[in-house]
Amino acid sequence: MYFASFRDGEGCKSYIVGCEESCAAAIIDPALDLVDRYIGDVNRQGLRVRYIIDTHTHADHFSGAQALKRAFGAPIVMHRLSPSPYVDLHVEDGHSLPLGAMRMKIFHTPGHTRDSMAIHVEDRVFTGDTLLIGGTGRSDLPSGDPDQLFDSLFGKLLMLPDETLVFPAHDYKGRESSTIGEERRSNPRLAKTERADFVALMNSLNLSAPTHLTEALRTNMSGGKTVRQLLVEAGSKVPFMALDELSRRIATRANDFVILDVREKEAFGAGHVPGATHLPRGQLELRVNDVLPDPGVEILTVCEFGKISTLAAATLRELGFGRATALDGGMKAWRDGGYPVET
């Protein structure tokens, strides 16, 4: 078996598992931030990706499944109860997926989410967020249920042999894996072997919400884009201007150069680049023809940190203003650099 594990900066774990004989591989719980690493590893090893699998609808990070599908053309696999519209292959409890000479057996393990599943491959099980090392997934997020989590743990995963290796989708202490036997012996949540005690424990955890809860659920359930994706896509379509170059442009007072501040009125009034024209980002499409009658003019968009202005510059280019660019670093960098500010 070929096996590789990956970890992002927030404790999210993902895996590539493959058949060495056939080079067929599956990527399990890919994170959007690590897509280039998966692609690099697959190419180095000469693997052919047959499946891209999310063990559940993630609420704390962004799935890289769609990006990997575009890269490899492999189907996205999730449980039948997944709400995601971009899933190509829905599976259910007891199904198996061929991976060369190996078989990946599907266990439906609801409780953390209703669409949670685990994947048993030879000597190991990929448990998603159902069973963690020294813990379990929480059951207080949308579609979670502590009663179902109890059944998934004690009625399915803990029925596997003690020597079965456990690879979860999260670990915050740098641990790589555990075993079913080790978890049965030392996992404090699994010490609650009576249903009522386990449910009471899970209901009393009072955990804080994940940092990216709303955006992660929105994008992972709908197939929509993250804010970061929008910024990356916009940044690939526009050039940027350095602070010292803007300073030089101001000194030359060029007639074909417009500085367009896209912040709100209060921020613009508090201080802006000398000579800047004000047009809030929210009014850009509606007022751009009045404010910028010449589509051939060079336009520099400015915001506070350089993000909104990047989106604005990309929009301007789509509208036909082919010389739109954005200030690198925004007004904060301009002020911090000691450049002049007009109020």
Side-chain angles (χ1 to χ4, degrees):
M1 175 193 297
Y2 173 76
F3 176 75
S5 64
F6 304 81
R7 181 191 303 271
D8 71 4
E10 298 181 346
C12 300
K13 300 190 68 179
S14 49
Y15 309 92
I16 298 178
V17 58
C19 171
E20 291 185 319
E21 179 181 340
S22 66
C23 295
I27 305 176
I28 300 172
D29 284 329
L32 184 60
D33 288 349
L34 300 181
V35 164
D36 287 342
R37 290 187 58 192
Y38 307 130
I39 294 173
D41 192 77
V42 166
N43 290 337
R44 281 193 303 273
Q45 302 299 326
L47 301 173
R48 180 179 180 184
V49 177
R50 298 296 303 274
Y51 305 104
I52 302 161
I53 305 172
D54 267 330
T55 57
H56 62 289
T57 301
H58 299 285
D60 51 2
H61 72 278
F62 308 114
S63 171
Q66 290 188 91
L68 290 174
K69 178 182 177 180
R70 289 191 291 270
F72 297 120
I76 296 172
V77 181
M78 293 188 74
H79 188 267
R80 177 179 62 84
L81 296 178
S82 167
S84 172
Y86 58 77
V87 176
D88 302 297
L89 178 58
H90 288 99
V91 293
E92 301 186 38
D93 191 66
H95 287 183
S96 64
L97 298 172
L99 197 63
M102 304 187 300
R103 294 293 182 271
M104 299 186 293
K105 185 177 181 181
I106 304 299
F107 294 157
H108 184 209
T109 55
H112 175 63
T113 63
R114 68 194 295 259
D115 65 342
S116 289
M117 64 183 190
I119 305 160
H120 186 208
V121 188
E122 296 196 339
D123 64 345
R124 60 200 63 199
V125 60
F126 300 93
T127 56
D129 282 8
T130 301
L131 176 61
L132 307 179
I133 300 174
T136 67
R138 59 196 297 170
S139 58
D140 60 338
L141 297 180
S143 82
D145 185 296
D147 266 297
Q148 291 184 340
L149 184 59
F150 180 87
D151 290 333
S152 296
L153 291 166
F154 290 95
K156 290 185 178 177
L157 292 179
L158 294 182
M159 302 299 288
L160 292 169
D162 279 359
E163 63 272 17
T164 305
L165 297 171
V166 173
F167 290 96
H170 287 281
D171 186 77
Y172 307 102
K173 297 181 179 180
R175 297 167 294 192
E176 291 300 319
S177 67
S178 180
T179 65
I180 290 294
E182 180 61 27
E183 293 308 306
R184 186 184 288 111
R185 289 188 295 271
S186 62
N187 190 318
R189 292 192 188 176
L190 300 184
K192 304 293 185 179
T193 57
E194 296 296 325
R195 180 184 298 272
D197 294 338
F198 179 84
V199 170
L201 171 66
M202 297 304 298
N203 286 336
S204 68
L205 293 178
N206 194 28
L207 301 172
S208 59
T211 304
H212 308 293
L213 174 64
T214 301
E215 187 179 16
L217 287 176
R218 173 183 62 79
T219 57
N220 292 336
M221 291 175 67
S222 69
K225 295 179 180 179
T226 68
V227 173
R228 181 174 178 180
Q229 282 177 296
L230 291 175
L231 287 169
V232 169
E233 291 176 5
S236 68
K237 299 175 182 177
V238 301
F240 294 84
M241 185 175 291
L243 302 176
D244 57 353
E245 175 63 15
L246 174 56
S247 179
R248 188 187 70 78
R249 295 289 186 96
I250 292 174
T252 62
R253 299 180 181 273
N255 291 328
D256 64 343
F257 178 64
V258 175
I259 304 168
L260 194 68
D261 194 312
V262 297
R263 296 175 297 163
E264 295 302 314
K265 181 179 180 180
E266 293 77 11
F268 177 80
H272 52 266
V273 174
T277 299
H278 183 228
L279 178 56
R281 173 64 185 91
Q283 301 177 28
L284 183 64
E285 289 86 347
L286 297 177
R287 293 180 52 203
V288 66
N289 294 325
D290 297 327
V291 176
L292 301 169
D294 180 5
V297 71
E298 184 177 12
I299 305 166
L300 176 70
T301 58
V302 180
C303 70
E304 187 63 24
F305 300 106
K307 295 181 178 180
I308 302 301
S309 58
T310 301
L311 295 172
T315 298
L316 286 170
R317 287 192 168 236
E318 291 174 357
L319 292 172
F321 295 87
R323 299 178 67 196
T325 183
L327 180 63
D328 197 3
M331 276 301 299
K332 184 179 187 307
W334 181 261
R335 290 192 303 269
D336 291 348
Y339 294 96
V341 173
E342 194 172 80
T343 61

